[in-house]
Amino acid sequence: MTHRIAVLISGNGSNLQALIDAIHAGSLTADIALVLSNRADAGGLARAQQQGITTAVVDHRDYASRADFDQAMIAVLDRHGPLDTVVLAGFMRILTPAFVQHHAGRLLNIHPSLLPRYPGLNTHQRALDAGDAEHGCSIHFVTDELDGGPLIAQARIPVRANDNVSDLSKRVQASEHLLYPQVVAWRAEGRLRLTDDGVELDGQILPAQGYQWHHPDGAEHCSGIGARQR
Ligand code: GAR
C-alpha cells in the first residue's frame, strides 16, 4: 500500500512543494492524504490545491487552549487516516504531548539549524552572531522536547564571510528541499524508524547527529531532488 502522509504547514510551503515535486519526479512514492494549516492564508494551501491535494485549516485562534487546538487537529488528521507519517514542514505551533504521543514514531520535523544548536526562532541570526563556520538544517522525530527529538539527518552548509540572514536562509532552505524528500522517501521505503535504541536507517542505528549531508558549494548548485527554484 502506498505510504500515506499528512503535511502540516503554517506558511509558504516550499518544503511541501519539494515533497510534491519529488512525488512527481518518482523519487518519493507516497500519497499526500492531507495538507493541514493553522492559518487560512498559508501560501502552501494554494500549492496543495493546485495539485488537487485535500487541504484543511484548523485555526489555533478558534481554540481556548493548546490542548483543545491539538485535539481538533488530531480529529481532522484521524479523519484522513490511517497516516504512516506526519510531516511538519514549517508548522509554527508548539505541539502538546497528547498530539506527539498520538503520532509517536511517525512525526517528523524540519528545523533551520544544526540541532542541538539553536532550537526555537531566529536561527540564522543566532548562527551569524555566534560566528559559526557552518550552519544548516536538521530533520528529527518529534518528541515532547521542543526541537529536541532524535535526529535523523542534517544538511551542513558553510557560512561565508559576508553572509546575512537572507543569504543563509536561502541556502539553508535549498538544503531543506533536498534533504526532506530524501528522508520522507526513507520512511516510504520502510527504511527509517524510531526504536528504543535510537533512529534506525537500513537496520543500523544512526549516530546521535543523524545522517550527515554536506555540500561543499552550500546547496545552491546541487542537482537532483528539489534543486528547482521555489
Ligand atoms: C523552513 O525553513 C523550516 O525549517 C522552518 O520554517 C521554514 C518553512 O518554510 N521551520 C521552523 O522554523 C520550525 N521550527 P516553508 O513554509 O517554505 O517550507
Side-chain angles (χ1 to χ4, degrees), residues 192-212:
L192 175 69
R193 64 191 187 107
L194 182 59
T195 76
D196 290 342
D197 297 326
V199 176
E200 188 186 275
L201 177 64
D202 294 335
Q204 308 266 354
I205 298 296
L206 290 174
Q209 283 194 294
Y211 172 91
Q212 296 295 299

Side-chain angles (χ1 to χ4, degrees), residues 18-208:
L19 296 172
I20 292 170
D21 290 351
I23 290 170
H24 287 164
S27 52
L28 168 61
T29 304
D31 275 342
I32 303 180
L34 179 70
V35 171
L36 174 60
S37 174
N38 65 307
R39 299 179 56 113
D41 62 354
L45 289 171
R47 295 179 187 268
Q49 285 154 6
Q50 274 161 23
Q51 305 296 325
I53 298 169
T54 305
T55 61
V57 175
V58 179
D59 190 329
H60 58 279
R61 293 169 302 187
D62 293 342
Y63 297 87
S65 68
R66 226 179 254 290
D68 289 352
F69 168 60
D70 280 11
Q71 285 306 325
M73 286 202 299
I74 287 173
V76 172
L77 288 166
D78 283 355
R79 273 208 295 282
H80 294 85
L83 298 168
D84 299 297
T85 301
V86 175
V87 179
L88 304 181
F91 185 71
M92 302 306 279
R93 304 297 301 171
I94 294 172
L95 297 165
T96 56
F99 186 95
V100 172
Q101 285 312 314
H102 193 78
H103 303 286
R106 296 181 291 135
L107 187 57
L108 307 183
N109 183 42
I110 190 160
H111 182 76
S113 78
L114 295 173
L115 292 169
R117 286 176 89 82
Y118 316 131
L121 299 175
N122 302 320
T123 58
H124 308 310
Q125 187 63 57
R126 288 154 74 196
L128 287 174
D129 291 347
D132 291 351
E134 269 192 328
H135 188 43
C137 67
S138 303
I139 297 169
H140 62 96
F141 282 106
V142 177
T143 60
D144 291 348
E145 193 189 339
L146 178 68
D147 298 328
L151 288 164
I152 300 165
Q154 295 185 316
R156 312 181 84 91
I157 61 152
V159 180
R160 297 176 186 149
N162 296 317
D163 274 345
N164 59 28
V165 165
S166 158
D167 299 326
L168 277 189
S169 163
K170 278 191 200 124
R171 295 214 307 285
V172 167
Q173 282 229 327
S175 73
E176 292 183 342
H177 300 157
L178 296 170
L179 198 62
Y180 221 176
Q182 176 63 75
V183 167
V184 177
W186 288 340
R187 286 279 305 161
E189 291 160 12
R191 297 166 58 188
L192 175 69
R193 64 191 187 107
L194 182 59
T195 76
D196 290 342
D197 297 326
V199 176
E200 188 186 275
L201 177 64
D202 294 335
Q204 308 266 354
I205 298 296
L206 290 174

